[in-house]
Amino acid sequence: MTAPTLTLIRNGSFSLLGLILLAYAAAVLATGRPDPVSPILPGAAGILTGIIVTLTARMATGKAAGIAWDELTRATWRRALTGGYWVAVWLYALFGLGLYLDLVTPAQSFAAMGTLTGAAPFLIFLANWVRGRV
Amino acid sequence: MAGLSNCLRDHRDRAGLTQADLAEAIGVSRKTINTIENNVFTPSTLLALKLARCLGVSVHDIFTLEDDV
């Protein structure tokens, strides 16, 4: 497996996971239910993504895996995690206000905040990757 | 604070290498070379040394503090 293939699989998996988590949060807010579909879905998607990315990297040669996860990629990922942290902080503020104004329930907040916090690093990583930013 | 500028593209051209050639030689992606050349990404000391060794120049020949220019 070549480095571009690994990169494609990683970015594809991250895209799919980010969209699943985002869609789950949107469904929670739209339906008013903390479990609009099976609540196992977000966690299962995350674990499956981890397995896919890890297994494909192990199936490739060390050099290909090193190129796919080179210094730029790791720096972009670290930056995405930092961005994800601040998204989580802002979500607390936003949903705190929503709870205070009775716009959302604690159960909805838990489900939406958890999945949005999970989606943030993956989507920030992909956005920066596509724009060629670190 | 001084910024970092580089003339990696000049040295690469002089060596007759494409971005892909240089990336392959030091084990990074072509995108990494591209972002370094465009001053978007500052490489680690290790990567800077690998680049310099591959191009047969010193790190100081490639990277310069903008105050020094």
Side-chain angles (χ1 to χ4, degrees), chain A residues 63 66-67 70-73 75 128-130 132-134, chain B residues 23-24 27-29 31-32 35 40-44 47:
Chain A
K63 186 172 184 185
I67 293 172
D70 69 353
E71 200 173 298
L72 173 70
T73 309
N128 286 340
W129 182 264
V130 168
R133 289 180 56 182
V134 181
Chain B
E24 174 73 21
V28 297
S29 63
K31 189 168 189 156
T32 298
T35 52
V40 173
F41 175 58
T42 302
S44 67
L47 187 51

Side-chain angles (χ1 to χ4, degrees), chain B:
Chain B
M1 195 167 72
L4 189 70
S5 66
N6 75 78
C7 51
L8 178 60
R9 180 171 296 153
D10 297 338
H11 285 288
R12 179 176 58 74
D13 286 343
R14 218 167 289 150
L17 297 171
T18 64
Q19 288 184 345
D21 294 335
L22 182 57
E24 174 73 21
I26 63 168
V28 297
S29 63
R30 191 197 59 76
K31 189 168 189 156
T32 298
I33 302 298
N34 182 264
T35 52
I36 294 171
E37 287 186 355
N38 290 317
N39 281 314
V40 173
F41 175 58
T42 302
S44 67
T45 309
L46 180 65
L47 187 51
L49 286 165
K50 283 182 181 176
L51 286 166
R53 186 169 65 184
C54 183
L55 295 170
V57 294
S58 89
V59 172
H60 280 91
D61 292 329
I62 303 174
F63 298 97
T64 321
L65 285 175
E66 279 172 355
D67 283 355
D68 296 342
V69 177

